[in-house]
Amino acid sequence: MTPPAPGIRTFDYGSDEAQARVKRRYQTEARFKLYGLLAVLFAGAFVFILLADIVRKGMPAFFEHRVVLTLDLDASLIDPTGRREIDALRNGDYNKIVMDAWRANFPEVTQRAERRRLEALVSSGAADDLRAAVIRDPALIGQKIRFPILLSDDADLHFKGLSSRISSAPGTGALDVKINGREVELSGSGQPFAAILADVKAGLMQDAERIGAELARLPASQQGGNNAALDARRIELAQRVAELRRRAGDVGSAETIDFSSMPSRIVRAEGASIRLQEIGASSAKGFLLVAPQREISRIDSWTVATFATPESNRKASDADIAWLETLNGRGAIEKAFSTRFFTSGDSREPELAGIRGALIGSALTLLVTLMVCLPLGVGAAVYLEEFAPKNRFTDILEVNINNLAAVPSIVFGLLGLAMFLNFFGLPRSAPLVGGLVLALLVLPTIIIASRAALKAVPPSIKEAALGVGASHQQAIFHHVLPLAMPGIMTGTIIGMAHALGETAPLLMIGMVAFIVDIPQAITDPGTVLPVQIYLWSDLPEVAFQAKTAGAILVLLGFLFVMNGAAILLRRRFERRW
């Protein structure tokens, strides 16, 4: 073959070197695709974990536990005059009716401190539920009815498994029982408490190892300084370790339960609950928390419940849990969907707190935002895109609108604080002010989205309208704007979703206040859902953690719905030119 002429470029496709280059190129492309897939999976895994954690923590907020009691609706306590007037029914002593029925389940509770703990297991809003039922149906007065009474947050947390982990094990052998007042002695042949005693001894050895590790972490003794205090601490810990190891090593000796640091153990049998205070291999002494349903001298079947958390480290005491479990065993506890979470306003009591006030406040705030930003945003977009002259002023205006879309939201809060509250004197913590502030925040987004929708309409539409004699205004408002409306609505919905999740600007205008009442107008004090979540997340009660996660789920649901509506609008009305 003749060699190629000078200046003509040749390509090598068939040599081994060329095939290797092609193979490396395909490998690089495949590796790039793999990196992209791994990035998507990694991000999706984080989103899934986040949503799963929120759902796990928030689902308890949608349910509540109640105890069904037989209530005697004594007319002398509800309506002494017998007139059945609303004001008289509202002033009835419903709390006494509820508490009398509640205390009747545990007649052995007579001490004042115990009665206070027993009454604290019932929600402070239980009487309000009964009052509302009687006002709805005054014919209930004078009857005995079965009525569900809302439990307190501590009792509710116990049944939701958020209080303390409890393990139960069947007892071995029969027990002889001696009851003296509230003091109980249990004994039996064959060392029925040997396994429990061994578990207590093992716990003592674990405590000795834990304290020994703390002793080993102490710095060595040095001259001067706080040497005396350090030595005293070291001697104290060493003595505790030695004492615990001695008690754990003495296998046959009885042990006294220290409820401040050791797990509690409750014997349950014949409807009774006995807290063990001194445990031996063949006998034990305890305190009667719940009286048996009948007189007993011998127990053939019994169980032992062990609380993983010592009584001093949990809000629900051993007696509280014993009372609740007794009622649960009688079938008096029911679990129901918590409608009050959606129908009640905020409250200091977790079991009574709801998001209705925040939902109404969010709706009023978004209504003000929509009424302000939609006409202003669309009008500004139409003017800038179709009517405004192209000069330096409009160029500066467009640049500033684009910059405002990237300004931190708290800056708009400062602007609202200075302008709407301090200058105009509008009411603080009102949906009116919140809506105006969010309108300022969303306005640049709506203007930009509206201008993009107007640009997407082919110029031939406007030119055809002008060609048949329409004015410029008629061409824009009768032809261009209707065709751009799906894009405008999509941008508006996305902007409103953005406004729904904002918190910082609303905090600046005082919408962080604790407000129980439901706002009825845009000038009434109110709050919004993101601020309600912020308030609940800062509260120390464990029950408010579930309320916080539940409110987050509701907020995410609204955001998903609004973004889904934007997608549906775009797919339904979008045109391909």
Side-chain angles (χ1 to χ4, degrees):
M1 297 179 62
T2 59
I8 299 178
R9 187 177 179 183
T10 61
F11 298 93
D12 181 13
Y13 295 107
S15 66
D16 293 340
E17 184 180 357
Q19 293 296 326
R21 288 198 302 268
V22 173
K23 184 178 181 180
R24 285 196 301 271
R25 186 167 67 248
Y26 283 126
Q27 289 177 347
T28 302
E29 183 178 357
R31 190 163 52 248
F32 178 77
K33 291 181 179 179
L34 178 62
Y35 292 158
L37 179 61
L38 291 177
V40 172
L41 294 177
F42 191 70
F46 270 100
V47 173
F48 176 78
I49 292 173
L50 175 63
L51 292 178
D53 184 65
I54 294 175
V55 171
R56 179 182 64 84
K57 293 180 179 179
M59 288 306 296
F62 298 100
F63 298 92
E64 63 185 17
H65 287 85
R66 301 176 293 197
V67 55
V68 181
L69 301 177
T70 301
L71 304 180
D72 184 6
L73 303 184
D74 190 352
S76 62
L77 295 175
I78 298 176
D79 187 17
T81 62
R83 298 177 181 178
R84 303 294 174 90
E85 297 177 352
I86 299 297
D87 292 338
L89 296 181
R90 286 199 181 106
N91 295 327
D93 194 356
Y94 298 94
N95 190 66
K96 177 175 174 54
I97 296 175
V98 172
M99 288 304 167
D100 287 345
W102 173 248
R103 289 192 294 263
N105 290 279
F106 306 101
E108 69 275 6
V109 179
T110 56
Q111 299 180 2
R112 180 176 298 179
E114 280 191 307
R115 290 184 65 176
R116 283 200 299 266
R117 290 203 64 91
L118 179 62
E119 294 172 357
L121 295 177
V122 176
S123 173
S124 59
D128 297 332
D129 294 341
L130 180 60
R131 178 183 290 106
V134 172
I135 291 176
R136 285 195 304 268
D137 186 8
L140 296 176
I141 299 176
Q143 301 182 17
K144 289 187 176 181
I145 62 173
R146 297 277 291 174
F147 192 80
I149 298 299
L150 183 65
L151 294 174
S152 67
D153 60 314
D154 293 335
D156 189 58
L157 288 175
H158 168 70
F159 287 115
K160 290 176 179 177
L162 302 176
S163 176
S164 175
R165 183 170 56 85
I166 303 175
S167 59
S168 297
T172 58
L175 298 178
D176 295 325
V177 183
K178 295 181 181 179
I179 300 178
N180 183 16
R182 308 268 313 259
E183 302 292 332
V184 182
E185 293 186 10
L186 305 173
S187 60
S189 59
Q191 296 185 341
F193 299 102
I196 303 175
L197 181 61
D199 188 35
V200 174
K201 298 288 187 181
L204 293 176
M205 182 58 69
Q206 292 177 359
D207 291 342
E209 293 176 355
R210 176 178 54 81
I211 298 175
E214 181 182 353
L215 176 61
R217 288 194 297 268
L218 291 178
S221 179
Q222 298 178 357
Q223 297 293 331
N226 295 326
N227 187 43
L230 186 62
D231 289 343
R233 177 62 175 169
R234 186 180 292 104
I235 293 172
E236 177 188 358
L237 293 179
Q239 291 176 349
R240 289 179 60 186
V241 170
E243 176 64 18
L244 289 173
R245 287 177 176 172
R246 183 192 64 77
R247 291 168 58 186
D250 193 357
V251 180
S253 63
E255 284 295 336
T256 300
I257 302 298
D258 182 6
F259 299 106
S260 63
S261 60
M262 301 174 66
S264 300
R265 289 166 174 83
I266 308 295
V267 172
R268 297 171 179 167
E270 300 292 340
S273 295
I274 304 167
R275 183 171 70 170
L276 300 182
Q277 296 175 326
E278 182 179 337
I279 304 174
S282 58
S283 63
K285 295 180 180 180
F287 183 79
L288 191 65
L289 298 177
V290 179
Q293 298 177 351
R294 59 181 180 85
E295 292 187 4
I296 56 175
S297 60
R298 183 178 177 83
I299 298 175
D300 295 321
S301 177
W302 52 285
T303 60
V304 178
T306 302
F307 300 161
T309 306
E311 187 180 35
S312 60
N313 294 337
R314 47 186 162 86
K315 297 186 67 175
S317 66
D318 294 340
D320 296 341
I321 297 177
W323 293 328
L324 295 173
E325 288 298 326
T326 299
L327 291 173
N328 192 29
R330 298 174 184 174
I333 303 298
E334 67 175 19
K335 180 181 178 181
F337 182 76
S338 179
T339 56
R340 74 181 71 241
F341 182 68
F342 297 95
T343 60
S344 300
D346 197 7
S347 174
R348 297 294 185 187
E349 303 297 333
E351 73 277 6
L352 300 178
I355 60 174
R356 183 185 175 188
L359 289 177
I360 299 298
S362 296
L364 294 175
T365 302
L366 290 181
L367 178 62
V368 174
T369 302
L370 183 64
M371 298 300 293
V372 173
C373 68
L374 182 59
L376 290 180
V378 175
V382 170
Y383 175 77
L384 291 174
E385 191 64 30
E386 301 293 344
F387 295 97
K390 304 302 179 182
N391 51 33
R392 184 179 297 274
F393 173 75
T394 55
D395 291 341
I396 295 175
L397 191 61
E398 291 178 4
V399 170
N400 282 291
I401 290 174
N402 294 329
N403 289 335
L404 283 176
V407 170
S409 59
I410 196 170
V411 175
F412 293 97
L414 294 172
L415 178 62
L417 176 64
M419 184 168 56
F420 299 129
L421 295 183
N422 296 337
F423 185 76
F424 290 106
L426 296 179
R428 184 180 295 271
S429 188
L432 173 61
V433 181
L436 293 175
V437 171
L438 294 181
L440 296 176
L441 174 67
V442 175
L443 195 57
T445 302
I446 295 180
I447 293 175
I448 295 172
S450 299
R451 294 191 65 183
L454 292 170
K455 287 180 180 179
V457 178
S460 58
I461 301 294
K462 182 175 66 174
E463 293 172 357
L466 295 174
V468 295
S471 66
H472 192 190
Q473 179 181 352
Q474 290 174 331
I476 298 302
F477 286 96
H478 294 178
H479 300 279
V480 177
L481 188 59
L483 294 175
M485 192 55 66
I488 294 174
M489 295 307 299
T490 300
T492 302
I493 293 176
I494 293 176
M496 298 301 292
H498 179 202
L500 178 62
E502 280 297 335
T503 306
L506 301 180
L507 297 180
M508 296 302 300
I509 62 170
M511 294 193 79
V512 70
F514 172 74
I515 298 172
V516 180
D517 297 331
I518 309 299
Q520 304 297 326
I522 60 175
T523 56
D524 294 340
T527 187
V528 293
L529 204 51
V531 176
Q532 187 69 76
I533 294 171
Y534 168 76
L535 291 174
W536 282 348
S537 66
D538 197 40
L539 296 176
E541 288 86 349
V542 178
F544 274 116
Q545 297 179 7
K547 296 283 184 179
T548 302
I552 291 174
L553 289 177
V554 175
L555 179 61
L556 289 177
F558 275 109
L559 294 177
F560 288 156
V561 168
M562 297 181 73
N563 285 283
I567 294 174
L568 290 177
L569 280 175
R570 185 169 63 247
R571 290 184 176 179
R572 175 65 178 82
F573 297 104
E574 187 178 24
R575 295 190 179 185
R576 301 290 183 180
W577 306 102

